[in-house]
């Protein structure tokens, strides 16, 4: 059963809200932590390096998720939203309601 207009609007609202939230998280992560100019010990330098690596890892996850959300929003605009990228069948509203940026139908997710 194809998604109706109200369902698509609801899912688009969820996607836009998710996009805004992710963008805010990325901005927070991109702000450099102030470690100061001087480090007195190698331990401090190691801690700073570890903190930067952790932040970059989390930032990468957020950026990948943002890309998925933006792709879903573009699919809504182009009329290709809710179609499984693997088999071409429609993705159930229940699946999209849980994960609006889902690219695969229930059956293809099982594979």
């Amino acid at each position: 059963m194809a998604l109706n207009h109200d369902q698509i609007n609801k899912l688009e609202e969820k996607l836009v809200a998710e996009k805004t939230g992710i963008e805010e998280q990325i901005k927070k992560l991109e702000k450099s932590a102030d470690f100061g100019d001087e480090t007195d010990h190698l331990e401090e330098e190691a801690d700073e390096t570890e903190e930067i690596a952790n932040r970059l890892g989390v930032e990468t996850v957020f950026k990948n998720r943002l890309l998925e959300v933006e792709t879903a929003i573009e699919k809504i605009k182009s009329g290709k939203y809710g179609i499984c990228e693997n088999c071409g069948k429609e993705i159930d509203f229940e699946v999209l309601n849980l994960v609006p940026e889902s690219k695969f139908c229930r059956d293809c997710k099982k594979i």
Side-chain angles (χ1 to χ4, degrees), residues 38-51:
E38 297 179 23
T39 52
D40 298 332
H41 305 290
L42 289 176
E43 268 184 42
E44 284 182 51
E45 289 182 25
D47 289 346
E48 290 174 11
T49 302
E50 183 178 355
E51 174 67 24

Side-chain angles (χ1 to χ4, degrees), residues 99-110:
V99 185
E101 69 277 9
S102 184
K103 298 185 244 181
F104 304 108
C105 69
R106 192 172 301 190
D107 292 335
C108 289
K109 284 184 182 223
K110 292 178 185 177

